[in-house]
Amino acid sequence: LKPDTNSTELAVNMIYHHGRKNEQLELIELNHVLEHYLVHRSQETHKNNYSDLKFRGIGITASDFTYYRSVLTNATDLAPFIEMERERMSQFKDNEPYLMQSVDEVDEELTAVHQNKTYTEYGLMLKDIFRNEAYGVNPVGEKQDLRRITLQDLKQYWSEHYRPDRATLLIAGNFDLPSTL
């Protein structure tokens, strides 16, 4: 917790200490798809239970962590935001349309990456950087793995890795420390 009364924003960062290195062969995009899936769950929870809550959020998948970052403009939104995050991360809800949407989004990202000549050349130039990554490749992943992912795969991966002992919550910005604790 890093209170800063001079800040105009409040950042809530939820970091799970798992990533591509924890995936199985033939499911190496599972973590990335789960990240998109949980962002959709967050949007659903927000719409249904916290529609007045205003925030900007993103998810990032890397080789050894998955990161959910949200920026709030009002400290009074912190308590409901944390409750929304707790709800999203404490229960896995099966939703086949979210799985399909998440797979399609990741597919679009991978297609854009593979069709961008500049990115491809840059990746070749930096190839040596990824020698210690899972499978020795850029953690963006492979398209052929996407269509193999099932809800059961997501749920199993989620239950193994989305636990408090594998997570770090960081809150920085303009908030009241005693009430947040």
Side-chain angles (χ1 to χ4, degrees):
L1 300 173
K2 296 296 249 177
D4 177 2
T5 56
N6 294 322
S7 178
T8 58
E9 293 185 330
L10 181 61
V12 179
N13 305 289
M14 193 70 188
I15 303 167
Y16 287 90
H17 304 281
H18 65 87
R20 293 250 345 246
K21 70 179 183 181
N22 302 102
E23 296 172 338
Q24 304 170 30
L25 286 174
E26 298 181 2
L27 291 175
I28 62 172
E29 278 302 319
L30 184 64
N31 191 60
H32 194 176
V33 170
L34 180 59
E35 170 221 314
H36 282 253
Y37 186 91
L38 292 175
V39 167
H40 290 299
R41 278 276 298 117
S42 178
Q43 292 168 348
E44 175 192 343
T45 301
H46 176 252
K47 182 177 71 174
N48 293 338
N49 302 335
Y50 305 94
S51 58
D52 293 337
L53 184 63
K54 302 216 179 326
F55 69 95
R56 297 183 319 271
I58 62 167
I60 297 170
T61 301
S63 67
D64 59 353
F65 67 88
T66 302
Y67 174 65
Y68 299 89
R69 176 174 171 47
S70 299
V71 177
L72 301 123
T73 55
N74 186 337
T76 59
D77 288 338
L78 183 56
F81 182 83
I82 290 174
E83 179 60 27
M84 184 181 76
E85 186 73 16
R86 182 201 62 77
E87 182 181 324
R88 174 173 59 143
M89 297 304 187
S90 66
Q91 53 187 314
F92 186 92
K93 293 185 179 176
D94 290 352
N95 189 313
E96 189 71 32
Y98 284 173
L99 172 61
M100 294 294 93
Q101 185 177 359
S102 299
V103 165
D104 289 344
E105 288 171 358
V106 172
D107 188 25
E108 283 179 29
E109 286 180 13
L110 295 175
T111 298
V113 164
H114 293 301
Q115 289 179 351
N116 185 325
K117 184 176 185 209
T118 303
Y119 183 87
T120 301
E121 290 172 359
Y122 181 71
L124 290 171
M125 183 178 73
L126 298 176
K127 183 179 178 184
D128 199 42
I129 288 176
F130 300 114
R131 73 174 174 265
N132 295 321
E133 296 286 339
Y135 320 113
V137 296
N138 181 330
V140 170
E142 300 298 328
K143 291 177 61 154
Q144 65 264 26
D145 294 324
L146 290 173
R147 303 299 168 193
R148 292 187 197 112
I149 296 171
T150 67
L151 276 175
Q152 185 57 38
D153 294 330
L154 285 182
K155 189 173 190 173
Q156 180 178 342
Y157 187 85
W158 176 86
S159 68
E160 291 172 8
H161 299 287
Y162 279 78
R163 303 185 324 253
D165 64 329
R166 297 188 59 112
T168 302
L169 174 64
L170 302 167
I171 302 172
N174 193 357
F175 67 96
D176 180 57
L177 184 59
S179 65
T180 300
L181 287 171

